[in-house]
Amino acid sequence: MVEEFTLEDGELKLVKKKVTKREIPPDIKAVKLLLEERGEATDEELEEEKRKLLNLLNEQN
């Protein structure tokens, strides 16, 4: 949100207000929801997930 003010009679007066909205992709919304529900992953959990994903990739090759 962007607001522009001018000084009139010693008081600030709102002259222009611009509100912009941005569409967030659904996958980012889903990740944000999961993080809010479960909390952030620990370093150990992230390392374990990394190992699992690397093993899956190696199995496919």
Side-chain angles (χ1 to χ4, degrees), residues 20-49:
T20 57
K21 286 190 175 183
R22 194 173 66 147
E23 182 61 33
I24 300 173
D27 54 337
I28 293 176
K29 288 180 185 178
V31 168
K32 186 175 181 181
L33 178 65
L34 287 173
L35 286 175
E36 288 173 356
E37 287 181 358
R38 126 175 231 287
E40 291 191 34
T42 64
D43 289 343
E44 292 81 21
E45 291 172 326
L46 292 173
E47 284 294 329
E48 179 62 28
E49 188 64 25

